Amino acid sequence: MASKTKPEPLSPVVSPDEVREIANRFGTPVYVYSQRILEQQADSALAFPNAYGLTVRYAMKANPNMNIARLFRKRGILLDVSSGFEAERARMKAEIPYEDMLMTSQEIPENLFGLVEFGLDYNACSQHQLENFGIFFPGKEVSVRINPGAGSGGTNRTNTGGESASFGIWHEQLDDVFRLARKYELNVKRVHTHIGSGSDPAVWQRVAGMSLDIVARFLEQGHDVRTLNLGGGYKVARMSYEKATDLQECGKPVKEAFKEFARDKGVKLGLEIEPGTFLVANAGCIIAKVIDLKRTAKYKFLITDTGMPEVTRPSLYGAQHPIAVVHRSPSDGEREPERVIVSGHCCESGDILTPAPGDSEKLKPRWVEGMSRGDFVVIGGTGAYCAGMSTINYNSYPQSPEVLITGRGIELIRKRQTLEQMTRNELVI
Ligand code: LLP
């Protein structure tokens, strides 16, 4: 096991030469994704153990750049969309048909009617959502998201099940669902649970059993449930000392539980999963530049030209991302590691890339290879919930470009924002 006191290795997305080339061609900070790793992850997700068929949906909120969704779709991965805007974005930019999307949202989109008419699958996440769907589409098939009463996330902020989470219909209120379904003659064809991001596999497996019990209740009420969607949330190891969820191990007992369910209830349920993090997190990194070095009586600070605008996760969750140094010139020899606080460039003391694990209020110095101004830092594990979840334009820093390393080379998939674009909608009166 790698030591917590030694520098983390360079992200597998890039080689040191590619870091220098990408920084020269596109400037810093810049997001970089690897098609090779995205495809490897897609293939692992598609091999998830299942008894009677598997559908994998990509939770596009993890990284909404449409080149990524397109690449997954070529491999047969459908979409989980979390708003009407995501659905339209995927349709417009990636030409993904609405029939390939399941919408699970806290909000009813204004264009719901049109989206469903064009084939979008709808997952009602509250009694209000279900009633609204029933009014528009009486007699239709629908999915329901249930909060099964238990959850698990990498941090409390990414736990989406249990009594402190507002996602889905509370499991003790199924009678409301049955009543509304009767009122509008809806058939519940899919039950959905998603208990959190970075969830403990043991809890996920237990909830799979609880979700099967919920499906059984729907069958008793005469609903023709054919699919159980168990959400995403599979843990990845961003730091070398972290342990990722092994999808094969995690899915095996659930496959057996589906078989037992079929023996007991006579219904062979299809399995759906909708990972985001698993598919993209370690397929991405950020290349940034060291712009300053400062000391206080206690710490050495390394200031970079990235931070919250590209990667909010450390300041939000105390998330740990590997940080490796690539020297500006290939001829620079290796240097002794030093213990530093890596900081972003925003005027915000919370703009820290090395918080204490799980506690964004505290600092935790990190061992990194010695460096000077102008060297590059590569922040790994930033393919998920970074470009799509940034504090965009804070301090008026422009939105960063994204590049994809494909079989053809290094390709720009989003340009750097200009100041004109940043202020386009502002009206000076
Ligand atoms: N399905 C639903 C309904 C979801 O809400 C989510 C994530 C997923 C699937 C995918 O979960 P994943 O496999 O990516 O864990 N910003 C946090 C994660 C929030 C996830 C929100 N929902 C982070 O940076 O870790």
Side-chain angles (χ1 to χ4, degrees):
M1 194 173 114
S3 158
K4 286 189 183 184
T5 59
K6 289 282 169 285
E8 285 284 319
L10 178 64
S11 159
V13 172
V14 280
S15 66
D17 284 340
E18 283 168 335
V19 170
R20 287 182 278 262
E21 181 187 341
I22 291 168
N24 282 338
R25 278 177 60 190
F26 306 103
T28 59
V30 54
Y31 295 95
V32 189
Y33 310 116
S34 156
Q35 176 167 355
R36 175 182 54 84
I37 301 177
L38 289 166
E39 288 176 349
Q40 271 168 13
Q41 293 306 101
D43 292 345
S44 304
L46 288 162
F48 199 93
N50 66 89
Y52 309 111
L54 172 74
T55 302
V56 179
R57 295 183 180 275
Y58 168 49
M60 69 170 271
K61 76 201 86 171
N63 190 319
N65 188 299
M66 278 299 120
N67 291 280
I68 292 178
R70 277 174 74 148
L71 198 145
F72 288 149
R73 185 154 187 276
K74 281 198 193 128
R75 285 191 136 55
I77 293 182
L78 309 185
L79 274 190
D80 154 41
V81 298
S82 63
S83 70
F85 296 100
E86 273 193 358
E88 285 194 52
R89 186 172 181 176
R91 179 72 194 88
M92 270 162 39
K93 287 295 243 190
E95 294 172 1
I96 295 181
Y98 288 119
E99 301 98 75
D100 285 2
M101 304 178 198
L102 173 66
M103 173 175 291
T104 303
S105 178
Q106 286 286 72
E107 178 174 312
I108 300 170
E110 274 182 27
N111 54 350
L112 178 68
F113 190 82
L115 294 172
V116 173
E117 282 286 294
F118 278 113
L120 174 119
D121 234 337
Y122 187 64
N123 194 16
C125 297
S126 69
Q127 285 88 335
H128 168 60
Q129 287 193 8
L130 187 60
E131 176 124 47
N132 180 74
F133 184 86
I135 292 169
F136 278 120
F137 302 105
K140 222 176 156 67
E141 296 203 305
V142 69
S143 303
V144 285
R145 177 175 184 174
I146 307 295
N147 177 340
S152 169
T155 72
N156 280 340
R157 287 187 182 175
T158 59
N159 182 337
T160 54
E163 55 192 20
S164 303
S166 68
F167 301 95
I169 298 170
W170 183 245
H171 65 110
E172 289 167 324
Q173 296 162 9
L174 294 188
D175 285 343
D176 290 345
V177 180
F178 301 147
R179 181 179 49 79
L180 288 167
R182 271 196 307 275
K183 184 170 170 191
Y184 297 103
E185 295 178 346
L186 301 170
N187 175 48
V188 174
K189 63 169 179 181
R190 180 194 286 102
V191 169
H192 174 284
T193 55
H194 167 75
I195 59 161
S197 281
S199 55
D200 175 344
V203 180
W204 188 84
Q205 288 165 343
R206 187 160 57 82
V207 169
M210 291 156 70
S211 304
L212 284 169
D213 292 343
I214 292 169
V215 173
R217 302 255 330 259
F218 277 93
L219 294 176
E220 282 162 20
Q221 293 288 321
H223 289 278
D224 181 19
V225 183
R226 298 185 293 280
T227 310
L228 175 57
N229 181 319
L230 292 171
Y234 313 102
K235 230 191 265 188
V236 299
R238 292 182 177 87
M239 303 294 280
S240 51
Y241 56 80
E242 289 174 341
K243 188 170 167 0
T245 296
D246 179 327
L247 294 195
Q248 287 298 317
E249 251 177 55
C250 174
K252 250 184 231 153
V254 173
K255 174 177 172 180
E256 291 313 310
F258 272 56
K259 283 189 179 164
E260 201 182 310
F261 187 89
R263 279 193 296 271
D264 283 1
K265 313 285 177 203
V267 176
K268 294 180 172 173
L269 289 172
L271 170 67
E272 246 175 47
I273 55 167
E274 45 190 31
T277 304
F278 177 85
L279 289 169
V280 292
N282 283 330
C285 69
I286 294 165
I287 302 175
K289 203 182 274 168
V290 179
I291 54 173
D292 216 337
L293 298 154
K294 306 186 194 184
R295 272 181 199 282
T296 62
K298 194 164 180 185
Y299 296 116
K300 177 167 183 180
F301 287 88
L302 182 160
I303 323 288
T304 63
D305 64 357
T306 181
M308 294 163 70
E310 282 75 37
V311 47
T312 318
R313 301 186 77 258
S315 25
L316 201 57
Y317 312 126
Q320 304 295 298
H321 285 265
I323 299 173
V325 172
V326 173
H327 295 294
R328 191 175 13 173
S329 155
S331 56
D332 284 355
E334 216 172 286
R335 295 189 216 155
E336 280 300 302
E338 47 184 5
R339 244 174 130 230
V340 297
I341 301 291
V342 183
S343 148
H345 57 167
C346 290
C347 303
E348 179 91 18
S349 29
D351 191 15
I352 289 294
L353 292 159
T354 51
D359 185 352
S360 57
E361 302 250 315
K362 293 209 180 86
L363 304 182
K364 175 100 179 10
R366 182 85 71 84
W367 286 97
V368 295
E369 201 187 319
M371 71 192 81
S372 330
R373 267 200 314 274
D375 283 337
F376 301 111
V377 286
V378 178
I379 304 161
T382 45
Y385 304 106
C386 289
M389 201 178 73
S390 72
T391 52
I392 181 174
N393 297 155
Y394 185 41
N395 291 180
S396 295
Y397 288 117
Q399 189 179 38
S400 291
E402 298 179 290
V403 303
L404 179 66
I405 304 181
T406 68
R408 294 184 297 270
I410 299 166
E411 304 193 49
L412 186 63
I413 56 170
R414 183 177 75 188
K415 295 184 200 168
R416 191 179 302 282
Q417 190 185 36
T418 63
L419 191 58
E420 197 279 319
Q421 289 166 338
M422 196 190 302
T423 54
R424 182 171 287 168
N425 292 334
E426 219 167 84
L427 304 170
V428 181
I429 53 166

